[in-house]
């Protein structure tokens, strides 16, 4: 991030998020089995799953919501499987 012109990383906020994630996992609020149940996530924990996570996280910024001219939030959608739409992914 030291060479980035338009992106910065807040170490303070990364640490805060990491703490919240640990708390959520420890309290049972989220687990790997829940993660694997999502239709867009791989159900296995293997090299394919690792590569999928890397690709999706790399592309994630492309799917952030944006606003139209009137200030209404526009959500991007992913259709998978057919006729099932996911927003905010």
């Amino acid at each position: 991030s030291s060479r980035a012109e338009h992106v910065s990383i807040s170490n303070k906020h990364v640490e805060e998020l990491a703490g919240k994630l640990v708390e959520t996992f420890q309290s049972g609020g989220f687990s790997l089995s829940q993660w694997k149940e999502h239709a867009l996530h791989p159900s296995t924990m293997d090299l394919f799953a690792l590569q999928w996570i890397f690709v999706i996280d790399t592309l994630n910024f492309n799917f952030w919501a944006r606003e139209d001219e009137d200030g209404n939030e526009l959500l991007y959608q992913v259709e998978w499987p057919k006729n099932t739409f996911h927003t905010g992914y």
Side-chain angles (χ1 to χ4, degrees):
S1 69
S2 63
R3 294 187 290 168
E5 293 180 28
H6 304 289
V7 177
S8 63
I9 296 174
S10 167
N11 289 331
K12 174 188 170 199
H13 292 104
V14 168
E15 289 180 22
E16 287 176 8
L17 176 60
K20 289 178 183 179
L21 289 173
V22 168
E23 288 175 19
T24 302
F25 272 96
Q26 289 176 340
S27 69
F30 187 76
S31 68
L32 290 178
S33 62
Q34 290 172 309
W35 184 87
K36 291 190 287 186
E37 291 173 5
H38 193 285
L40 298 178
H41 295 172
S43 59
T44 60
M45 293 292 142
D46 56 10
L47 182 59
F48 170 79
L50 181 62
Q51 291 170 337
W52 174 255
I53 294 166
F54 179 77
V55 168
I56 293 302
D57 285 350
T58 302
L59 296 175
N60 183 35
F61 71 92
N62 288 306
F63 303 106
W64 289 346
R66 61 185 177 90
E67 292 182 354
D68 65 12
E69 302 81 31
D70 298 322
N72 300 309
E73 186 175 48
L74 301 173
L75 296 177
Y76 293 95
Q77 294 184 5
V78 174
E79 181 181 6
W80 180 261
K82 189 172 184 177
N83 297 321
T84 301
F85 295 91
H86 304 271
T87 60
Y89 186 77

